[in-house]
Amino acid sequence: MKAIAEAPSKAIITGEHFVVHGAWALAAALPLRVRVEVSQAPSLAIRSDRFEGRDSPELRPVSRVVEGMARQFSVTPSVRVSISSEIPEGAGLGSSAATMVAVASAFSRLHSLGLKVDELVRCSMVGERFIHGRPSGIDPTVCAYGGVVLFKRGSKPRRLSMDGTRSLIITYSGEKRSTKGQIGRVSVMRERFPGLFAMLAGAVSELGFTAAEKLRQGDMEGLGRVLAINQAALETIGVSNEAINGIVDLLGSLGCYGAKLTGAGGGGSVVAVAPKAKEKSIVSGLSARGFETFKVKVPTEGVRSWLER
Ligand code: PMV
């Protein structure tokens, strides 16, 4: 018997970094997925289509999640975990969070723990903390819940109700970066300019609610303006870079309503919105310049798991 779980990737629409320090942020699950299989084994063994061995730095957080859950629920950690992923890694699209959530969900299913979504998030945070040090929890929350989520540290996540789907354009800069390093840069900036940081965090919280409303109404032009304002705040705190700014400008020149970095920045990916009629030509324009870029529809479902013989 094996348990299988699939979890979506994510894009932060507004509020990354500020969310670590208590601001509201808006994030959407994206349809690129990670698939995890968990079955009984003589000892804990982890395989991935990208990394080898449970002691490889990328897979150590997975061991932490399994061992943490085994301890907490008094079940055996001796399982074989197999991971296969469509999510580019280090791209700000939640590859690690989706993996932790899927591992927690499959492990819970195999041992019939019956954990609810918020409990899966809590279990997967053990791995996220191991990677980032001080994660806000937004990534595993949106990967677990799915849909579009307004998130604030310590508050119950608010899932947005939407009729119909909306399109986002995601472009990967090709530059991997360390989320932990980026969070550290922001903390230094916050210590140097506490008043400015607090003011920006307040404004970015407001942007989250405005973005949620624009997205719900399907007002993509309005949402584009919100993205552009949020990008300016992210530049101010020093987490954008030349590659990201170049992509944001390019998206603007191709006719997008607005664009911003998504995730930790310093590389990673850009999220943008555009008039329907231009989406196709924007995606092909960016592909022609060598960027991995795709249009995605939101909302999409969160983690799900099942048993197979
Ligand atoms: O996991 P990433 O690289 O997409 O970034 C997560 C977003 C941050 O706000 C930078 C960190 C966090 O834990 O909220």
Side-chain angles (χ1 to χ4, degrees):
M1 184 74 82
K2 61 185 173 188
I4 299 172
E6 284 184 359
S9 46
K10 61 83 205 180
I12 298 182
I13 300 174
T14 64
E16 52 275 272
H17 287 293
F18 297 99
V19 70
V20 174
H21 303 281
W24 282 93
L26 183 71
L30 304 183
L32 292 179
R33 284 170 198 279
V34 60
R35 179 186 164 96
V36 170
E37 293 187 9
V38 176
S39 55
Q40 298 284 3
S43 61
L44 174 56
I46 303 170
R47 291 177 58 91
S48 124
D49 54 357
R50 293 184 185 152
F51 312 105
E52 272 301 318
R54 57 178 274 204
D55 287 327
S56 83
E58 291 80 6
L59 297 184
R60 236 178 282 148
V62 173
S63 325
R64 296 292 168 110
V65 171
V66 169
E67 287 159 355
M69 290 178 78
R71 248 194 324 275
Q72 186 180 352
F73 300 105
S74 307
V75 293
T76 175
S78 298
V79 290
R80 179 174 301 104
V81 180
S82 305
I83 303 163
S84 53
S85 182
E86 313 172 326
I87 310 171
E89 177 249 341
L93 299 177
S95 163
S96 67
T99 303
M100 300 313 144
V101 165
V103 166
S105 176
F107 190 81
S108 164
R109 177 70 64 183
L110 186 75
H111 288 299
S112 305
L113 302 178
L115 299 186
K116 297 204 181 71
V117 185
D118 58 334
E119 292 168 311
L120 294 177
V121 173
R122 211 168 22 75
C123 294
S124 60
M125 282 294 280
V126 172
E128 285 290 281
R129 259 185 235 113
F130 183 76
I131 302 171
H132 301 318
R134 197 172 175 256
S136 65
I138 188 170
D139 288 9
T141 299
V142 71
C143 294
Y145 280 79
V148 179
V149 177
L150 263 166
F151 177 92
K152 178 181 156 82
R153 225 184 176 129
S155 298
K156 202 170 154 18
R158 300 185 191 172
R159 235 189 114 156
L160 210 68
S161 66
M162 281 165 61
D163 49 354
T165 58
R166 316 278 183 258
S167 300
L168 304 175
I169 295 172
I170 306 291
T171 305
Y172 177 36
S173 67
E175 287 186 11
K176 286 190 187 181
R177 79 288 172 280
S178 141
T179 298
K180 197 173 182 174
Q182 289 288 97
I183 291 178
R185 285 168 76 103
V186 174
S187 294
V188 170
M189 194 278 177
R190 180 168 168 259
E191 274 163 33
R192 286 187 63 194
F193 304 103
L196 172 66
F197 192 89
M199 190 193 74
L200 287 173
V204 166
S205 274
E206 274 305 308
L207 286 180
F209 288 96
T210 311
E213 194 47 29
K214 300 290 179 200
L215 194 62
R216 207 183 54 73
Q217 292 165 345
D219 174 2
M220 302 314 265
E221 191 173 355
L223 179 59
R225 274 198 294 273
V226 173
L227 299 188
I229 298 169
N230 194 167
Q231 172 65 14
L234 290 162
E235 283 179 38
T236 306
I237 61 167
V239 292
S240 196
N241 70 359
E242 253 176 62
I244 293 292
N245 294 347
I247 294 170
V248 169
D249 289 348
L250 185 56
L251 283 158
S253 70
L254 293 171
C256 276
Y257 286 135
K260 63 174 270 295
L261 69 83
T262 182
S269 300
V270 171
V271 59
V273 289
K276 267 236 145 349
K278 290 190 180 164
E279 284 169 356
K280 233 179 162 170
S281 64
I282 290 170
V283 169
S284 46
L286 281 149
S287 304
R289 286 164 177 87
F291 292 109
E292 198 178 319
T293 180
F294 44 92
K295 183 177 108 167
V296 284
K297 286 209 183 319
V298 299
T300 189
E301 69 176 334
V303 68
R304 59 189 194 95
S305 66
W306 63 94
L307 290 172
E308 266 180 24
R309 292 222 164 264

